[in-house]
Amino acid sequence: MLLGLRAATVRFDGRAVLDAVDLDVAEHEIVCVLGPSGSGKSTLLRAIAGLQPLDSGRVLLDGRDQAAVPVHRRGVGLMFQDHQLFPQRDVAGNVAFGLRMHGMAKNERAARVGELLDLVGLPGAERRAVASLSGGEQQRVALARALAPRPRLLMLDEPLGQLDRSLRERLVVELRELFGRLGTTVLAVTHDQGEAFALADRVVVMRDGRIAQAGTPLEVWQRPADAFVARFLGFENVVEATVDGEAAITPWGKVPVPGGSPQGTRTLLVRPAGVRLVPPAEGLRCTVAARTFQGTHVTLHLQPRDAPRLEAACPLRTAPEVGAETGVEFDPAETVVLD
Ligand code: ADP
Ligand code: MG
């Protein structure tokens, strides 16, 4: 294991911001910690880098306790949330920063900077002023700077947070490819689920300084650990239910669930695709409260008479208008009883 956290705890004013966190990252793995703002993500990275002392617990790199190891000897790279380029230095000066700190010779440095700028898609940008770069270009320079000293662990704090959506979606694919090619071990943190799911081999969901769930993107997406994780992933049809055999008693009436589901009082998740529209006389009667065009489909907010709203996904062609009455049935293949 390249990185190991053992009951890592950081308190500010008596409050645990990291609360006994256990986390392993294997060599060549890309792990993404996903959590809302204030859940302790930046503190986690700062603690691993040695910028934030632990109140208790341990940080291990290659199995060795880092308590007595200063920041510059840990061999980890940290790209900060607000990438913090040096405005008075040009691109090359920024990328070479860590190399100079490590005492690399000048000509060797220049070659390495050129190599890195090629790598991040900014060939020949050495002499450009930082202020002349777009947000996406600055992000690439910050990445090149973090990669330059060849850290054994690269840590990224909200790496794409400030970029607009289309650029973010493109860069995340590039990054994953790049890290795969370089064999870089990466620990990234983000509040953006799309980013986490696109980048990571493994996603770790954090809530109030604790790990709420860890798994592959598919595992977490298919089976959120609890109502918090499900809601944080953007699912809205999450309710308390009583499961009895292959049905759940819910505020929406009886909802079929897959065979083998956990029984008793549980949290039930119905994915939007599992809310099927049927004629108003059939199923649960709802009024269409809102309709959002999503490109490939339409998201509907359906208001039953005496139950929480339901979110449904349906094809554009068959989507009813706001104010229309519809019936709803549930598809057990898209319902999940959470453990
Ligand atoms: P995230 O990166 O997930 O948004 P942070 O790790 O930055 O979360 O912060 C977690 C919590 O710790 C927040 O409530 C924040 O206000 C608090 N915090 C962070 N740094 C300090 C500090 N140096 N002193 C006191 N409180 C802090
Ligand atoms: Mg942060």
Side-chain angles (χ1 to χ4, degrees), residues 41-42 81 157-158:
K41 305 182 297 295
S42 294
Q81 199 159 349
D157 196 344
E158 309 271 358

Side-chain angles (χ1 to χ4, degrees), residues 31-294:
V31 173
C32 209
V33 175
L34 173 65
S37 170
S39 57
K41 305 182 297 295
S42 294
T43 304
L44 177 78
L45 296 191
R46 291 170 53 79
I48 296 166
L51 296 165
Q52 171 64 53
L54 293 179
D55 287 293
S56 59
R58 296 189 298 157
V59 174
L60 309 174
L61 285 166
D62 281 328
R64 277 191 289 278
D65 194 319
Q66 301 292 301
V69 182
V71 178
H72 64 281
R73 293 205 187 274
R74 293 196 180 190
V76 303
L78 173 55
M79 187 172 115
F80 290 97
Q81 199 159 349
D82 45 1
H83 38 71
Q84 297 180 339
L85 296 177
F86 307 112
Q88 74 284 12
R89 296 201 173 121
D90 61 13
V91 166
N94 271 278
V95 176
F97 177 73
L99 304 177
R100 242 185 345 258
M101 299 286 283
H102 283 79
M104 187 187 272
K106 196 173 175 193
N107 56 344
E108 215 180 320
R109 243 161 39 206
R112 179 92 182 116
V113 167
E115 210 177 283
L116 280 156
L117 289 177
D118 286 351
L119 206 60
V120 299
L122 287 173
E126 280 89 342
R127 298 278 78 88
R128 289 184 63 185
V130 163
S132 76
L133 303 174
S134 71
E137 289 169 336
Q138 291 190 16
Q139 203 77 43
R140 289 164 198 261
V141 173
L143 181 66
R145 181 174 67 180
L147 282 169
R150 295 199 171 90
R152 52 183 168 166
L153 174 67
L154 177 65
M155 299 195 290
L156 307 171
D157 196 344
E158 309 271 358
L160 306 173
Q162 302 174 23
L163 306 177
D164 55 42
R165 184 167 152 183
S166 61
L167 182 58
R168 218 165 55 202
E169 284 174 359
R170 196 148 40 85
L171 263 180
V172 81
V173 176
E174 281 181 29
L175 283 182
R176 203 177 145 74
E177 253 180 57
L178 178 66
F179 297 147
R181 201 145 33 88
L182 298 176
T184 317
T185 306
V186 179
L187 178 62
V189 305
T190 176
H191 68 280
D192 185 287
Q193 348 126 1
E195 198 170 306
F197 281 82
L199 189 62
D201 300 321
R202 199 148 56 86
V203 171
V204 175
V205 183
M206 228 164 109
R207 174 191 196 180
D208 296 337
R210 289 167 178 261
I211 292 177
Q213 185 170 13
T216 65
L218 187 67
E219 283 164 358
V220 174
W221 187 258
Q222 287 193 327
R223 194 159 266 286
D226 55 27
F228 166 81
V229 176
R231 292 218 170 81
F232 186 61
L233 297 182
F235 292 117
E236 298 197 2
N237 307 330
V238 180
V239 285
E240 284 285 294
T242 308
V243 184
D244 182 9
E246 298 193 5
I249 311 299
T250 78
W252 304 307
K254 234 179 192 179
V255 173
V257 299
S261 290
Q263 303 286 298
T265 304
R266 300 284 172 175
T267 301
L268 179 78
L269 159 66
V270 183
R271 294 198 183 83
V275 179
R276 280 203 319 251
L277 305 192
V278 294
E282 299 168 30
L284 174 70
R285 199 181 169 95
C286 297
T287 309
V288 178
R291 210 180 112 126
T292 322
F293 178 58
Q294 307 277 10

